[in-house]
Amino acid sequence: MPRTIRLTPSLIRAAACTGIAALALTACGSGSGSGSGSDSADNGSDGVKVGLITKTDTNPFFVKMKEGAEKAAKESGAQLISSAGKFDGDNAGQVTAIENMIAAGVKGILITPSDSKAIVPALAKARAKGILVIALDSPTDPESAVDALFATDNVRAGEMIGSYAKASMKGKKAKIATLDLAPGVAVGVQRHNGFLKGFGVGEKDPALVCSQDTGGDQAKGQTAMENCLQKAPGINVVYTINEPAALGAYTALKAKGREKDVLIVSVDGGCTGTRAVKEGKIAATSQQYPLKMAAEGVGAVVKYAGNGRKATGYTDTGVSLITDKAQAGVTSKDTAYGLDNCWG
């Protein structure tokens, strides 16, 4: 039975002293001062080495992604080396992880880039060594900085909830607040733009009365919603970058007695968020599938090791609109389906 070894600073030092080079190389990015919050290796196989680098190892989305990679690696006889940043945005930690994985001899690296631009030089070094580099979930800037992208179509995810929100309003005049991610982050920009497109409004449309950044955080989502309500008390539609931000918005609205008359739509499809749809706190969410992203990524690396052909271009890993209040003309699935396929 393969086992995962969690590498601590003391174990790394011991490994270095006793000459266990392969073990040490997988963990050079862990410990204080490294910028990497998590490094582990499945040493139960001598097969193809596959690197997985996520933004963090605490977000349920990335936990599920790692589970998918571990399962796929085990089934294919590959060896998974995983790492994660200390926080969302920890580019330095991801750079260190890439350097360690190059040294460890990985055949491919799967990465959810924390900084889509700043990570590019490190990825270029890996590709120059003949390593297959695949972005998962979040594209790099430019997208050509990796060989392939396996991800949700985030524009489509935004369009789906935008179309749903428009249909739900049934011609009623909309006053929209968008609770976004952060400036320049590709995922946030794509979902935001997709929502506006699906709803049928532009950035300068008077229906868009407030936009605030939340970092995808629940507490910041609550604060952002409070700020928007002060600016435009008549808000009746709220788009959020993810479900934690949506639940923060719901808390702020409930405090004002507005939770029943404001439509909240979101993106992600985690189990907590899907339950919030079932409970009526969120009207609908676009569900994505991190396990599938990782499993297909591992499969692509294993194939590359076998036949020398690199995966290229964009692979859409799917998205579904989840709601228990279906709207005419908008394709959706109910929360029973959502809970069967959620993560976290």
Side-chain angles (χ1 to χ4, degrees):
M1 173 74 71
R3 64 194 182 94
T4 297
I5 299 174
R6 179 67 60 181
L7 301 180
T8 63
S10 60
L11 182 56
I12 295 169
R13 288 192 293 271
C17 292
T18 56
I20 309 176
L23 181 61
L25 284 169
T26 63
C28 292
S30 67
S32 60
S34 70
S36 179
S38 168
D39 293 85
S40 64
D42 179 347
N43 290 286
S45 170
D46 293 325
V48 176
K49 292 180 180 179
V50 182
L52 173 68
I53 305 171
T54 54
K55 293 180 182 179
T56 71
D57 61 2
T58 54
N59 185 313
F61 185 88
F62 301 123
V63 171
K64 181 59 68 174
M65 183 176 282
K66 184 178 176 183
E67 287 177 10
E70 288 174 335
K71 184 173 185 291
K74 181 180 177 181
E75 290 175 349
S76 62
Q79 178 183 352
L80 184 72
I81 301 172
S82 64
S83 184
K86 291 181 177 179
F87 52 88
D88 195 333
D90 182 14
N91 183 69
Q94 291 197 324
V95 169
T96 299
I98 291 168
E99 292 169 349
N100 295 340
M101 288 179 182
I102 293 172
V106 298
K107 196 66 176 178
I109 293 175
L110 314 175
I111 184 168
T112 60
S114 280
D115 188 315
S116 58
K117 289 185 178 180
I119 199 65
V120 168
L123 296 178
K125 291 180 182 178
R127 295 178 75 189
K129 298 286 186 180
I131 295 170
L132 172 64
V133 179
I134 298 175
L136 303 181
D137 180 52
S138 305
T140 52
D141 185 5
E143 288 188 21
S144 59
V146 294
D147 294 292
L149 169 65
F150 290 10
T152 305
D153 183 339
N154 282 293
V155 174
R156 176 65 182 146
E159 283 184 34
M160 291 169 75
I161 57 170
S163 297
Y164 175 86
K166 180 71 171 180
S168 297
M169 292 301 286
K170 301 187 186 305
K172 184 179 178 181
K173 184 178 179 180
K175 293 186 177 181
I176 303 167
T178 68
L179 304 192
D180 299 307
L181 187 57
V185 179
V187 170
V189 172
Q190 290 169 349
R191 292 181 185 180
H192 173 96
N193 291 345
F195 168 79
L196 295 184
K197 181 179 178 181
F199 202 94
V201 296
E203 204 66 59
K204 304 288 188 181
D205 196 294
L208 188 59
V209 296
C210 186
S211 293
Q212 295 265 309
D213 291 328
T214 68
D217 178 77
Q218 184 164 340
K220 291 179 181 177
Q222 181 176 343
T223 299
M225 189 72 251
E226 290 168 349
N227 292 340
C228 282
L229 287 172
Q230 287 183 347
K231 179 181 178 182
I235 288 167
N236 53 16
V237 177
V238 178
Y239 151 83
T240 67
I241 178 63
N242 64 7
E243 291 140 7
L247 290 170
Y250 176 84
T251 299
L253 289 163
K254 187 174 181 181
K256 295 288 188 181
R258 298 285 315 283
E259 76 275 15
K260 300 292 186 183
D261 57 55
V262 177
L263 183 80
I264 302 176
V265 293
S266 195
V267 179
D268 262 356
C271 293
T272 298
T274 304
R275 283 191 290 268
V277 174
K278 185 177 179 64
E279 294 164 0
K281 296 177 181 178
I282 304 172
T285 192
S286 288
Q287 185 174 68
Q288 52 182 342
Y289 304 104
L291 190 150
K292 184 178 180 182
M293 294 176 198
E296 292 192 4
V298 170
V301 175
V302 172
K303 286 180 182 178
Y304 169 56
N307 61 25
R309 296 194 200 101
K310 290 184 176 183
T312 59
Y314 168 63
T315 297
D316 184 353
T317 52
V319 63
S320 302
L321 180 70
I322 305 298
T323 184
D324 284 333
K325 298 178 180 178
Q327 298 295 324
V330 181
T331 302
S332 64
K333 299 180 184 295
D334 63 18
T335 55
Y337 177 91
L339 290 169
D340 283 343
N341 292 277
C342 66
W343 41 269

